[in-house]
């Protein structure tokens, strides 16, 4: 028996909410709240008669803390699932602290306005101290640790697939497969084809910011930064086939470096087709990925927001996307003094996701772990006050839930390694 407030009703949230409604013995009451309430209403309609979960909807601007506090106080949820955008993470965390409720999200904080001088000063200091220049990092949310601990509340950060399941895979490898892990390669392959020359699989603004940033990885405890897309490898993915993949900065590298003792190297690779890369480079070269406002015919516009308005809505890609995703982690390390390797991953089929929930696999592989993370918190299987990433909890019940609710793991004890 639980009441959950979900903030956001985009591609990922729609999967998470539909999945929560499949587990209606736990998710007994759910409020779907977002900026555009008509989307929440439409999803409520779609679910009518298919679940015992009692669904209500609300309009909320999650950039406004007081609005979120008022909604939490009125609805009195056990958990707030933030599946809006990373820009809202801190406001919603503040609101949860003020109203006394547990919190979770699927992506770590980054500011919407990267020109804000106060933020920029802190960012530039961090770039120098840490050695990577992505706009997002955990420091903003880790700063809430003591406040959540003192309030006896839990905040679960980044519970999608990557970040999220990839960290549970690391915790699982550490618990069951290794005494010490030396290297972790996280491989994110999307073998799906939506037929468009250029579209992004989740929020275009967040996606393009992430992909166009310099790549970075951890080597011997230190960040190494490289120009965007400058390290390329080819890998033969189970269920998908051979794909080019590129080294990217990714948020879970930062927390894994803190939480996996003795790890020497952590890298993250993502596959991209040539058409995607050509379009992205061109858009970047002409300034369309810029987050700084410009004046256009007497009106202020932000180029990347204008681009977002032109691109297909990721939530609309479901019917036309065919193929599979394969996301997982390859480890090297030692067990009982012997060198060993291990690969744990999931394969997900775009069309099967569409048949089940009307979504493509990227939203599915993010929304299902969000539901499973919420399930862990609500059933007390993950329960410790403070602010935590997924690898800091017991991976076993979480991976069992993923197996059960649509993202089963596959394993190999003799994987091909990435050089
Ligand atoms: P969408 O853009 O499809 O949806 C975002 C939703 O948040 C929309 O419903 C939007 O409302 C709502 N929203 C935005 N701003 C506000 C606000 N100020 N107040 C209230 N609601 C707001 O994004 P996705 O579903 O693709 O992504 C959701 C999250 O998941 C993102 O944080 C993304 O980074 C993360 N993600 C994580 C992954 C992982 O593996 N960990 C992978 C993919 C995504 P409106 O309709 O009005 O715009």
């Amino acid at each position: 028996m639980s009441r959950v407030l979900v903030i956001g009703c985009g591609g990922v949230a729609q999967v998470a909410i539909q999945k929560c409604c499949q587990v209606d013995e736990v998710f007994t009451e759910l409020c779907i709240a977002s900026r555009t309430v008509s989307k929440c209403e439409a999803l409520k309609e779609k679910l009518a008669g298919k679940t015992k979960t009692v669904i209500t909807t609300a309009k909320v601007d999650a950039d406004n803390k007081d609005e979120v506090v008022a909604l939490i106080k009125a609805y009195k949820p056990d958990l707030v699932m933030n599946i809006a955008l990373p820009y809202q993470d801190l406001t919603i965390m503040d609101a949860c602290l003020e109203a006394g409720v547990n919190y979770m999200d699927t992506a770590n904080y980054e500011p919407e306005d990267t020109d804000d001088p106060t933020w920029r000063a802190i960012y530039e200091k961090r770039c120098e101290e840490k050695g990577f220049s992505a706009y997002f990092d955990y420091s903003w949310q880790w700063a809430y640790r003591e406040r959540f601990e003192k309030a006896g509340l839990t905040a679960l950060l980044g519970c999608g697939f990557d970040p999220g399941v990839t960290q549970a895979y690391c915790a699982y490898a550490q618990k069951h497969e290794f005494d010490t892990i030396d290297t972790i390669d996280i491989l994110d392959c999307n073998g799906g084809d939506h037929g468009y020359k250029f579209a992004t699989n989740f929020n275009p603004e967040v996606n393009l910011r992430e992909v166009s940033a310099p790549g970075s990885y951890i080597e011997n405890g230190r960040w190494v930064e490289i120009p965007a897309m400058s390290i390329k490898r080819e890998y033969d993915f189970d269920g998908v086939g051979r794909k080019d993949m590129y080294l990217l900065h990714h948020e879970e590298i930062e927390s894994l470096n803190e939480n996996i003792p003795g790890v020497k190297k952590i890298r993250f690779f993502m596959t991209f087709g040539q058409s995607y890369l050509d379009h992205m480079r061109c858009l970047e070269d002409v300034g369309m990925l810029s987050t700084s406002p410009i004046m256009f015919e007497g009106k202020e516009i932000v180029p990347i927001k204008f681009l977002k308005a032109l691109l297909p809505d990721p939530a609309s890609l479901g019917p036309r996307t065919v193929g599979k995703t394969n996301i997982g982690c390859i480890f090297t390390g030692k067990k009982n003094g012997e060198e060993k390797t291990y690969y744990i991953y999931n394969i997900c089929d775009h069309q099967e996701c569409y048949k089940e929930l009307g979504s493509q696999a990227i939203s599915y592989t993010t929304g299902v772990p969000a539901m499973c993370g919420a399930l862990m918190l609500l059933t007390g299987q993950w329960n410790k006050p403070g602010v935590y990433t997924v690898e800091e909890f017991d991976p076993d019940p979480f991976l069992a839930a993923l197996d059960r609710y649509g993202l089963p793991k596959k394993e190999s004890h003799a994987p091909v390694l990435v050089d």
Side-chain angles (χ1 to χ4, degrees):
M1 296 277 284
S2 59
R3 278 164 92 81
V4 171
L5 170 64
V6 182
I7 301 182
C9 193
V12 175
Q14 294 196 18
V15 169
I17 291 162
Q18 292 183 78
K19 278 289 176 183
C20 290
C21 290
Q22 290 180 6
V23 193
D24 49 19
E25 66 281 12
V26 176
F27 296 86
T28 42
E29 289 173 64
L30 202 87
C31 176
I32 314 170
S34 190
R35 198 166 47 181
T36 312
V37 77
S38 56
K39 286 191 194 166
C40 312
E41 290 290 343
L43 183 58
K44 184 184 164 185
E45 293 265 295
K46 181 177 170 184
L47 284 160
K50 293 189 185 143
T51 177
K52 289 204 195 80
T53 306
V54 178
I55 301 173
T56 49
T57 61
K59 180 172 168 56
V60 73
D61 177 1
D63 288 319
N64 181 331
K65 187 195 74 174
D66 293 341
E67 266 190 41
V68 183
V69 170
L71 178 60
I72 297 173
K73 286 190 172 162
Y75 188 66
K76 299 187 177 55
D78 304 296
L79 171 70
V80 173
M81 295 174 77
N82 166 17
I83 321 182
L85 296 176
Y87 314 143
Q88 283 85 45
D89 288 3
L90 303 187
T91 356
I92 301 178
M93 287 177 88
D94 283 330
C96 286
L97 277 173
E98 192 171 323
V101 62
N102 297 313
Y103 167 91
M104 65 173 286
D105 64 35
T106 59
N108 71 6
Y109 172 70
E110 68 180 273
E112 185 157 18
D113 176 11
T114 52
D115 292 327
D116 172 29
T118 318
W119 175 84
R120 199 123 204 132
I122 299 169
Y123 162 75
E124 274 160 15
K125 188 163 170 270
R126 187 269 283 164
C127 289
E128 227 164 80
E129 280 170 8
K130 287 223 173 173
F132 67 90
S133 57
Y135 286 148
F136 51 88
D137 74 274
Y138 277 113
S139 63
W140 298 89
Q141 291 178 280
W142 281 342
Y144 285 72
R145 278 171 172 157
E146 214 181 306
R147 275 174 284 166
F148 270 80
E149 233 171 86
K150 278 200 181 133
L153 297 171
T154 304
L156 171 63
L157 306 184
C159 196
F161 206 106
D162 46 340
V165 178
T166 49
Q167 289 137 289
Y169 285 165
C170 294
Y172 183 87
Q174 191 177 36
K175 184 173 174 184
H176 298 288
E177 297 285 337
F178 292 93
D179 295 326
T180 50
I181 293 175
D182 293 330
T183 69
I184 304 172
D185 277 332
I186 304 166
L187 270 48
D188 178 331
C189 165
N190 180 7
D193 182 2
H194 44 56
Y196 287 117
K197 287 209 167 77
F198 186 71
T200 64
N201 293 297
F202 67 97
N203 184 282
E205 204 180 319
V206 178
N207 180 240
L208 289 165
R209 275 194 192 197
E210 172 181 284
V211 171
S212 57
S216 55
Y217 59 97
I218 286 286
E219 186 139 48
N220 297 319
R222 300 174 66 87
W223 286 97
V224 181
E225 187 157 88
I226 55 155
M229 305 291 165
S230 59
I231 294 185
K232 174 184 169 185
R233 299 283 186 271
E234 193 191 48
Y235 200 81
D236 193 358
F237 288 93
D238 186 13
V240 177
R242 302 194 83 80
K243 289 274 170 195
D244 288 338
M245 58 183 193
Y246 297 81
L247 189 144
L248 293 189
H249 175 83
H250 222 250
E251 61 199 73
E252 63 266 53
I253 302 176
E254 192 186 358
S255 69
L256 289 168
N257 187 44
E258 304 270 324
N259 293 322
I260 305 291
V263 65
K264 296 187 182 77
K265 194 170 185 178
I266 314 173
R267 301 183 296 183
F268 181 98
F269 290 91
M270 191 178 272
T271 63
F272 294 101
Q274 201 52 49
S275 172
Y276 181 97
L277 293 178
D278 291 344
H279 279 79
M280 194 187 74
R281 267 191 204 122
C282 175
L283 290 166
E284 189 173 25
D285 287 347
V286 298
M288 281 300 287
L289 303 190
S290 169
T291 54
S292 303
I294 56 154
M295 290 308 290
F296 177 72
E297 296 187 344
K299 252 191 118 177
E300 196 180 81
I301 60 163
V302 176
I304 198 165
K305 285 191 188 295
F306 178 69
L307 174 64
K308 182 185 175 205
L310 293 174
L311 290 175
D313 178 356
S316 72
L317 298 177
R320 41 189 302 151
T321 308
V322 292
K324 294 185 170 81
T325 62
N326 176 326
I327 317 174
C329 304
I330 300 177
F331 303 90
T332 67
K334 286 180 199 69
K335 181 79 176 173
N336 303 324
E338 300 276 313
E339 302 275 348
K340 72 175 280 191
T341 60
Y342 175 63
Y343 188 12
I344 175 168
Y345 57 96
N346 162 264
I347 299 174
C348 187
D349 185 294
H350 283 283
Q351 277 302 302
E352 278 175 22
C353 299
Y354 186 68
K355 267 185 239 141
E356 185 192 330
L357 298 182
S359 102
Q360 33 86 355
I362 305 301
S363 304
Y364 190 93
T365 54
T366 312
V368 173
M371 181 282 279
C372 292
L375 188 67
M376 295 299 104
L377 295 173
L378 294 168
T379 54
Q381 293 178 87
W382 286 0
N383 184 12
K384 47 183 177 182
V387 176
Y388 299 99
T389 43
V390 170
E391 72 273 25
E392 294 178 272
F393 290 102
D394 182 1
D396 292 353
F398 182 63
L399 294 189
L402 290 167
D403 283 346
R404 179 166 174 199
Y405 294 113
L407 297 174
K409 62 182 172 305
K410 292 189 83 175
E411 295 167 281
S412 162
H413 286 86
V416 174
L417 301 180
V418 182
D419 63 20

